[in-house]
Amino acid sequence: MSLTNKQLSTIPIAVYTAKGELQQLKPALNEGLDAGLTINEIKEVMVHLYAYCGFPRSIRGLQAFMEVLDERKAKGIEDETGADASPINDERSKYDRGKANLEELLGRPITGPQTGYAAFAPVIEIFLKEHLFADIFDRDVLTYAERELATISAISAIGGAEPMLRSHLAICLNVGFTAGQLNEFVDVIKSTAGKKEAKAAQSVLNEVLKNSQ
């Protein structure tokens, strides 16, 4: 099974947002809307990405999207707004919610003492659980799979974050992407982010697929 048109159009949107290439982003946004992405789904991709490429790139992407929507409206194009995020009705702490979401993404329980960067700077591990994996991942405008596709697109475009890309590609397999779809993803990275970025992504993907067998 191949990536859907909506999935294929998400990758360039995430890549160009992460790289701050707004002139390339605008046609990608038009293509995404034409492929069936709703306004709220695209907005959510850009909000999601601030956790990976920062507020400046995310906000500039949103500003470019506003311009695209104005241009389409002036042409008489009415795009679907789409659903808003559902209210959160969960009594657990944000940390516990985030930990549970991350365990679902990873497909395994998280146990034992903190190690590595989480032990070195414990506050960032708290921010990750409470904000990224609770506040953001709990928003159901996008599925986990849709969020992970945006994530690996942004990380591949940014470059130099192969350990994070490795983790998220493994998550992609756990949330339902196939090896073929992830290789297709790398092809889109080559045509959007560039050959160097695609080569790095392919190398990490090959490693992840080998370890998953």
Side-chain angles (χ1 to χ4, degrees):
M1 186 172 68
S2 298
L3 293 171
T4 67
N5 287 338
K6 287 174 67 173
Q7 290 170 331
L8 287 169
S9 63
T10 296
I11 300 167
I13 290 172
V15 165
Y16 296 134
T17 298
K19 291 174 76 71
E21 295 177 351
L22 303 185
Q23 290 307 309
Q24 290 91 333
L25 175 59
K26 287 185 175 183
L29 289 166
N30 276 291
E31 289 171 12
L33 290 166
D34 292 340
L37 287 171
T38 68
I39 293 171
N40 281 349
E41 285 172 336
I42 293 176
K43 281 163 61 175
E44 192 70 21
V45 166
M46 292 179 170
V47 170
H48 175 89
L49 288 182
Y50 101 80
Y52 298 94
C53 60
F55 274 119
R57 291 286 165 84
S58 179
I59 290 172
R60 289 297 285 135
L62 286 165
Q63 289 170 334
F65 190 30
M66 291 166 64
E67 292 175 13
V68 166
L69 290 174
D70 285 343
E71 291 165 2
R72 288 172 70 90
K73 194 170 184 179
K75 295 176 182 176
I77 302 171
E78 290 294 329
D79 293 300
E80 183 183 350
T81 302
D84 291 315
S86 302
I88 303 299
N89 297 309
D90 194 321
E91 298 296 322
R92 293 175 297 175
S93 69
K94 284 205 288 187
Y95 185 90
D96 287 341
R97 279 166 38 208
K99 181 173 181 286
N101 288 345
L102 181 55
E103 288 176 333
E104 185 176 343
L105 287 161
L106 294 170
R108 58 177 171 79
I110 301 170
T111 58
Q114 300 293 348
T115 60
Y117 72 82
F120 181 66
V123 70
I124 201 168
E125 191 270 338
I126 293 171
F127 289 161
L128 279 168
K129 296 285 199 312
E130 292 187 348
H131 184 46
L132 175 57
F133 290 111
D135 285 339
I136 297 178
F137 269 81
D138 268 347
R139 291 173 56 81
D140 59 0
V141 179
L142 298 174
T143 65
Y144 284 173
E146 289 164 342
R147 289 187 182 280
E148 284 303 314
L149 184 60
T151 299
I152 60 173
S153 300
I155 295 175
S156 297
I158 292 167
E162 281 72 22
M164 290 77 198
L165 181 59
R166 186 177 300 112
S167 297
H168 283 281
L169 283 169
I171 288 172
C172 282
L173 290 173
N174 190 53
V175 298
F177 287 105
T178 66
Q181 287 172 324
L182 292 177
N183 276 300
E184 193 177 356
F185 154 78
V186 174
D187 288 339
V188 183
I189 290 298
K190 184 176 182 180
S191 64
T192 54
K195 292 180 181 178
K196 177 184 174 184
E197 291 82 355
K199 183 178 180 181
Q202 186 71 64
S203 176
V204 175
L205 176 58
N206 291 344
E207 181 185 340
V208 169
L209 293 175
K210 183 179 179 182
N211 291 338
S212 71
Q213 293 175 350

